[in-house]
Amino acid sequence: MGVRRTDLIKSATFSEMTGSNVFLKLECLQKTGSFKIRGALHKISRMDDDSKKLGVIAASAGNHAQAVAYASSILSVDSIIVMPKNASPSKILATKSYGAKVILQGQNYDEAAEFVKEYATKENRIEIPAFNDPEIIIGQGTVGLEIIEDLQDVDEVYVPVGGGGLICGIAIAIKATNPKVKVIGVESSAFPTMKESLSQKKITKVSNGHTIADGISIKTPGLLTFNLVRKYVDDIVLVDDTSIVKTMFLLMERAKIVAEAAGAISLAYLLDKPVRTSKDKRQVSVISGGNVDMYLLGQIVSKGLMQTGRLLKIFIDLPDKPGALKKIVDEISKANINIVEVEHDRLSSNVFPGTAGVYLSLELENKEKSTTLMRLFKNEKINFSIVK
């Protein structure tokens, strides 16, 4: 009830890129757009009738919020969701659409979570934790059960790590069936919370950091998840935002899959992994969520095109005279490159009187086309710079 058995598909594209057999566990196609519904529904369904009458409350930046709201709606339980003030408007709207009351409090998940603890005590509501709870972890563990049922000879499973609920559930389920399967967690390099805690052999708080993977930007792991990760998880690795952006773009273009940043991070590690593994190795990447803000998605497309050498933005300093721009356009036409956008600038401090700055956004077939164009510009002694 309320939870889909999501597909596990082999990707020919990513298998070729990594030199192994890469399978994608598509939790981005789960109800509410992420794996979170598994834990939330299991937790709330296990509550007794008296507890359900009290209503529930949860803190979340988005995915857990939607999961608790949806689970509560189908189980007829009143729900309040506390979200950070900077939460995505689309995620706030989606949470409200499932019938929950939304309170905006704090600047991040941790501040929202502190507010929930106070509110739950004061108003006598049942708190539904995002990750540090046995019932939540059991619910998330069904992802692991499905993986091992669909791919019995799997070698490695890569899982996004925020608070650790998902990887704990997956690792327990998989290790109970086949202890030889390696379960590896992937964190944002801006929030290496679990990795630092394991290194220090105690729960460690990460105070600073910024990442587009807001769904896993957790400053402090839970005590339960920390201990379970120590026991069942083979390794924790890190990935930066540049790799995440490229992977989100590749998932859209090559696999027709929309994944949020936190959901794409496990595949990002496989694509960036410096040492290639055996071509016979079977690796599963859990694509944990697909709730990405549409404005961010537009940026991802642009950044992805730039990273793959198919969108180039240049600044050219020209004499402010008729025909000066035509010379540039003719050179671009010779290279068979499409001009997407033209922007003139005569007022910036780096543009001298009598000259005009021109920003050109160019659509290219590949990086080789860019090299060809740069060579043409240099031969014609055109003063240009690439805008990063």
Side-chain angles (χ1 to χ4, degrees):
M1 178 181 64
V3 174
R4 292 192 181 112
R5 183 188 181 99
T6 55
D7 291 335
L8 180 69
I9 63 169
K10 182 177 179 180
S11 168
T13 296
F14 300 129
S15 294
E16 183 179 350
M17 287 182 176
T18 61
S20 61
N21 295 288
V22 174
F23 295 80
L24 307 178
K25 179 60 172 171
L26 300 179
E27 285 298 290
C28 53
L29 302 181
Q30 183 57 264
K31 288 280 191 179
T32 72
S34 87
F35 72 95
K36 288 285 189 178
I37 185 59
R38 295 175 182 264
L41 189 58
H42 181 74
K43 172 73 174 179
I44 297 173
S45 65
R46 297 276 292 177
M47 290 166 48
D48 59 40
D49 290 340
D50 289 338
S51 296
K52 289 178 180 177
K53 289 177 183 177
L54 296 174
V56 300
I57 186 169
S60 171
N63 286 343
H64 183 58
Q66 294 175 64
V68 172
Y70 178 66
S72 298
S73 69
I74 63 179
L75 294 172
S76 301
V77 176
D78 185 64
S79 63
I80 294 177
I81 308 297
V82 180
M83 305 178 75
K85 293 179 180 178
N86 60 357
S88 163
S90 62
K91 291 184 178 181
I92 294 173
L93 182 62
T95 303
K96 289 180 177 179
S97 73
Y98 293 125
K101 176 184 177 182
V102 174
I103 298 175
L104 300 180
Q105 185 72 32
Q107 299 302 316
N108 51 50
Y109 167 78
D110 296 88
E111 291 180 10
E114 283 300 315
F115 177 82
V116 163
K117 292 186 183 300
E118 297 173 6
Y119 194 101
T121 301
K122 181 181 177 182
E123 300 296 328
N124 197 26
R125 279 184 173 262
I126 306 299
E127 181 183 355
I128 309 298
F131 49 84
N132 199 46
D133 181 273
E135 301 293 349
I136 294 290
I137 292 170
I138 290 171
Q140 319 301 29
T142 56
V143 176
L145 293 176
E146 291 176 10
I147 290 172
I148 210 74
E149 288 173 1
D150 291 342
L151 190 66
Q152 295 180 8
D153 52 357
V154 59
D155 295 299
E156 297 173 346
V157 179
Y158 290 82
V159 186
V161 176
L166 176 61
I167 195 168
C168 287
I170 288 176
I172 291 169
I174 287 178
K175 296 289 187 178
T177 307
N178 185 354
K180 293 182 180 180
V181 178
K182 288 188 176 181
V183 179
I184 296 116
V186 188
E187 283 188 304
S188 164
S189 56
F191 283 88
T193 311
M194 193 67 76
K195 190 173 182 66
E196 281 295 312
S197 296
L198 293 174
S199 176
Q200 299 295 327
K201 297 182 179 180
K202 63 179 181 179
I203 291 179
T204 304
K205 182 177 182 179
V206 176
S207 57
N208 296 311
H210 174 74
T211 175
I212 60 170
D214 59 335
I216 55 173
S217 58
I218 305 297
K219 293 184 177 181
T220 310
L223 178 60
L224 175 60
T225 54
F226 169 67
N227 287 328
L228 290 173
V229 166
R230 290 178 69 182
K231 184 175 181 179
Y232 292 102
V233 175
D234 295 281
D235 196 9
I236 301 289
V237 295
L238 305 178
V239 169
D240 63 20
D241 275 12
T242 301
S243 298
I244 296 171
V245 168
K246 183 177 180 180
T247 303
M248 292 174 69
F249 175 79
L250 288 172
L251 276 166
M252 283 188 285
E253 183 177 53
R254 304 300 295 274
K256 316 308 175 192
I257 293 169
V258 176
E260 60 189 89
I265 195 170
S266 59
L267 180 60
Y269 176 75
L270 284 178
L271 296 180
D272 266 9
K273 200 174 179 182
V275 180
R276 293 309 179 204
T277 56
S278 166
K279 64 180 181 180
D280 297 324
K281 186 162 285 188
R282 293 170 177 81
Q283 300 173 310
V284 172
S285 167
V286 178
I287 310 299
S288 60
N291 292 319
V292 58
D293 185 271
M294 290 297 104
Y295 295 104
L296 176 61
L297 199 61
Q299 290 181 311
I300 296 299
V301 171
S302 296
K303 295 289 185 183
L305 287 169
M306 293 179 74
Q307 285 186 23
T308 54
R310 290 156 53 200
L311 181 65
L312 180 69
K313 189 169 185 178
I314 58 176
F315 176 80
I316 303 175
D317 191 17
L318 295 172
D320 195 6
K321 297 179 180 178
L325 181 58
K326 182 181 182 299
K327 180 183 177 181
I328 304 297
V329 172
D330 288 343
E331 293 301 321
I332 294 172
S333 178
K334 287 179 186 178
N336 197 30
I337 291 170
N338 186 38
I339 299 175
V340 179
E341 187 178 54
V342 180
E343 180 184 350
H344 287 80
D345 183 4
R346 292 181 174 85
L347 302 178
S348 295
S349 59
N350 64 325
V351 179
F352 294 100
T355 66
V358 180
Y359 289 94
L360 295 177
S361 295
L362 308 174
E363 182 183 19
L364 306 95
E365 183 180 340
N366 49 44
K367 286 185 178 180
E368 286 71 24
K369 284 284 186 180
S370 173
T371 302
T372 301
L373 182 65
M374 298 303 101
R375 191 182 300 117
L376 284 170
F377 280 179
K378 288 176 181 178
N379 290 341
E380 295 297 326
K381 298 181 179 180
I382 296 170
N383 185 20
F384 72 95
S385 60
I386 297 175
V387 180
K388 299 294 184 179

